[in-house]
Amino acid sequence: ELANRMAERVADVVKALMKMGMMVTQNQSIDADTAEVIVEEFGHRIVRVSDSDVEDVIDTVDDKPDDLKPRPAVITVMGHVDHGKTSLLDAIRNTKVTSGEAGGITQHIGAYQVTTDGGQVLTFLDTPGHAAFTSMRARGAQVTDIVILVVAADDSVMPQTVEAINHAKAAGVPMIVAINKCDKPDANPDKVRTELLQYEVIVEGLSGDVQDVEVSAISGQGLDSLLESVALQAEILELKANPDRPAQGAVIEAQLDVGRGPVATVLVQKGTLRQGDIFVVGEQWGKVRAMENDRGERVKEAGPSVPVEVLGLNGTPEAGDVLNVVETEAQAREIAEYREQAAKDKRAAAGAGTSLEQLLAQAKANENVKELPILMKADVQGSAEAIVQAMEKIGNEEVRVRVLHSGVGAITETDVGLAEASGAPIIGFNVRANAPARNSANQKGVEIRYYSVIYDLVDDVKKAASGLLEAEV
Ligand code: GDP
């Protein structure tokens, strides 16, 4: 690659490297400093790729108002566990998606489109829950236009309902409340409406501006009204995108398929993605070999708000990674490699880990570290509050413990993501991490510590904090 860029012979470059004492083959990667020496030796000018170069290649089109065409709304369903998110998504899909010829079995690609009775197309993300929503947002992909907040009428507002409301508000995405399970004898929709007031979600019936619909995912009651409400909200938003430009999209999900290689479900956001397009997506790149729509049909192109499964990647990207079509394979590869290296450098600089010991080591190396960030999950609200208070009392003007997030319930992947991003360990008080969270923590080097006695916990954190203090002097 380097020889190619310099228009020199590969053998000459390898020879030059060997002269420097590096026994390399032509496909081996060399570090940037060595590459610089070689480039100088051959008498060429050195141009290091930077972040802005990467951006320049990618964002070349300024959409003019005239270029913008209406596009379908993208909807995410959120709400408390067991309130019926999955059932609702299935019910909408089953009633509205015209089943394909192959026995009517729709293929699962992480998103699907429906057409309302009014003829409006809507795109539903098939990954309910706010973990997906936040992890996508954290990676810079804001894909959701409308949130359907599912609240079970027999259970009313629960902790994850509140979390979902906060996520939607933080993202500035309008909400529609689906009061689910209205077929149940003990359903009490009015209780839901009243309780939502507490969280500043005021439904239309209570003279607010949030639409609410009574539904049942089981009986199918209210589903059409729900879709009409969504369509109305979408009209108000006047969603538009330019279909005539190189595509940009977001990865909804991706996996390594044994037969087909890396496969990603991409939601196109701008432009039109076509078979044969060369693209970069996160730290991966590729060329669209084939695309399938949400019904498992081969398609040659996909415009704004259309979800497609893309084949032809060189590796598996992550949910939330942004896909950009670029002109040449060399550009795509260069950007992907640049990002991979940048991510590696960042991890190395961050000390690759969040354990208390590593934080201390870091503190010794860096006199500016005066905060001990931690994430805390507890079994009940009472203990959570008590622990946060105790934590905040630890330390003095020089060092303090900062509780980034505290919550009730098992330690989840979302917690691990937040801990990794903030370089904080996670403390579990009478709660454990679930299996996905444990795997993710292992992978990312996030430390999880379990406690069941507040005294032990406070003692350990005190020790860590005083370790920080010692590092100061
Ligand atoms: P999720 O965790 O929010 O995705 O909830 P699920 O869709 O898995 O639903 C949880 C449980 O509630 C399942 O046993 C569903 O069958 C049931 N359920 C979901 N919607 C309804 C509904 O409208 N009426 C009744 N009676 N049960 C429902």
Side-chain angles (χ1 to χ4, degrees):
E1 179 70 36
L2 184 61
N4 207 353
R5 293 287 173 88
M6 298 191 296
E8 299 285 351
R9 288 179 3 169
V10 176
D12 291 342
V13 173
V14 172
K15 223 184 277 169
L17 280 161
M18 287 186 173
K19 260 193 223 154
M20 289 169 63
M22 294 182 66
M23 298 298 143
V24 295
T25 62
Q26 59 168 299
N27 293 322
Q28 204 167 320
S29 296
I30 55 172
D31 62 273
D33 291 334
T34 310
E36 242 178 45
V37 174
I38 293 290
V39 172
E40 264 173 359
E41 176 133 351
F42 279 83
H44 292 282
R45 201 165 52 90
I46 298 159
V47 186
R48 280 214 187 193
V49 184
S50 71
D51 280 342
S52 61
D53 297 336
V54 171
E55 296 313 314
D56 284 353
V57 175
I58 283 173
D59 229 356
T60 47
V61 182
D62 250 340
D63 298 326
K64 290 180 215 66
D66 283 352
D67 299 333
L68 301 178
K69 303 276 160 9
R71 64 167 179 87
V74 179
I75 298 118
T76 297
V77 174
M78 297 209 276
H80 196 72
V81 63
D82 279 347
H83 278 197
K85 298 179 291 293
T86 312
S87 308
L88 199 62
L89 278 162
D90 288 348
I92 293 170
R93 190 209 326 250
N94 291 339
T95 51
K96 287 298 166 191
V97 173
T98 40
S99 34
E101 273 132 44
I105 298 159
T106 49
Q107 195 179 343
H108 178 92
I109 70 159
Y112 63 81
Q113 289 196 307
V114 299
T115 308
T116 65
D117 293 341
Q120 211 170 343
V121 178
L122 303 172
T123 304
F124 281 87
L125 297 190
D126 212 354
T127 39
H130 43 245
F133 185 79
T134 24
S135 72
M136 301 253 287
R137 271 218 317 140
R139 302 183 81 79
Q142 167 100 348
V143 298
T144 305
D145 300 307
I146 298 169
V147 164
I148 293 183
L149 179 71
V150 180
V151 190
D154 62 341
D155 202 23
S156 204
V157 175
M158 296 301 280
Q160 286 172 290
T161 317
V162 179
E163 275 185 43
I165 293 170
N166 292 337
H167 285 306
K169 283 191 173 167
V173 176
M175 254 179 299
I176 291 171
V177 180
I179 306 179
N180 192 30
K181 306 201 186 183
C182 283
D183 58 295
K184 285 195 151 186
D186 54 345
N188 188 351
D190 277 333
K191 184 165 173 240
V192 174
R193 295 187 181 95
T194 322
E195 286 193 5
L196 284 172
L197 283 176
Q198 242 179 292
Y199 305 96
E200 284 154 54
V201 177
I202 309 165
V203 300
E204 285 175 336
L206 298 174
S207 55
D209 56 5
V210 177
Q211 298 189 73
D212 64 301
V213 188
E214 293 182 13
V215 299
S216 163
I218 300 295
S219 76
Q221 165 203 344
L223 291 185
D224 283 327
S225 317
L226 178 63
L227 290 181
E228 268 168 40
S229 293
V230 176
L232 180 67
Q233 182 66 57
E235 261 172 42
I236 295 168
L237 292 173
E238 288 190 54
L239 302 163
K240 286 181 178 163
N242 178 6
D244 300 314
R245 52 163 286 163
Q248 181 182 317
V251 175
I252 306 295
E253 57 182 24
Q255 70 273 337
L256 187 62
D257 189 298
V258 182
R260 301 181 299 167
V263 180
T265 299
V266 174
L267 179 80
V268 178
Q269 294 184 283
K270 294 175 182 175
T272 299
L273 185 62
R274 297 192 167 84
Q275 197 172 327
D277 276 351
I278 295 159
F279 61 85
V280 54
V281 54
E283 295 167 29
Q284 316 299 334
W285 65 280
K287 183 171 180 172
V288 181
R289 197 168 73 223
M291 289 193 290
E292 279 183 11
N293 67 11
D294 53 349
R295 287 167 225 180
E297 299 158 348
R298 280 284 175 106
V299 289
K300 290 254 186 284
E301 55 175 50
S305 297
V306 176
V308 274
E309 194 176 61
V310 175
L311 270 69
L313 297 111
N314 77 324
T316 315
E318 296 199 36
D321 276 343
V322 175
L323 175 144
N324 288 98
V325 168
V326 294
E327 272 170 27
T328 66
E329 261 182 48
Q331 281 173 338
R333 195 177 317 134
E334 188 169 10
I335 297 169
E337 281 170 6
Y338 174 76
R339 286 179 178 167
E340 195 186 339
Q341 189 59 47
K344 264 190 209 146
D345 292 349
K346 206 174 141 199
R347 276 195 292 273
T354 67
S355 72
L356 288 175
E357 283 76 18
Q358 277 163 340
L359 282 175
L360 290 180
Q362 236 172 289
K364 288 201 173 103
N366 174 7
E367 52 186 289
N368 292 326
V369 175
K370 285 176 185 161
E371 267 185 349
L372 183 64
I374 61 169
L375 229 101
M376 211 267 308
K377 291 297 279 283
D379 52 344
V380 290
Q381 189 62 31
S383 346
E385 279 164 15
I387 293 167
V388 170
Q389 273 177 14
M391 291 291 128
E392 279 165 1
K393 279 198 204 122
I394 299 173
N396 52 25
E397 314 85 65
E398 284 155 276
V399 178
R400 65 186 191 98
V401 178
R402 193 156 69 96
V403 183
L404 297 172
H405 171 77
S406 73
V408 174
I411 296 161
T412 64
E413 266 184 295
T414 319
D415 297 324
V416 175
L418 182 59
E420 187 205 13
S422 340
I426 302 176
I427 286 168
F429 187 77
N430 283 336
V431 295
R432 314 291 297 177
N434 61 24
R438 276 201 303 275
N439 291 339
S440 167
N442 280 340
Q443 252 174 35
K444 294 172 173 166
V446 170
E447 186 190 31
I448 303 179
R449 287 198 178 198
Y450 302 111
Y451 294 89
S452 52
V453 180
I454 294 195
Y455 174 82
D456 291 343
L457 165 57
V458 171
D459 208 42
D460 273 6
V461 174
K462 257 189 193 156
K463 273 188 209 142
S466 62
L468 278 186
L469 259 183
E470 277 161 26
E472 285 289 305
V473 287

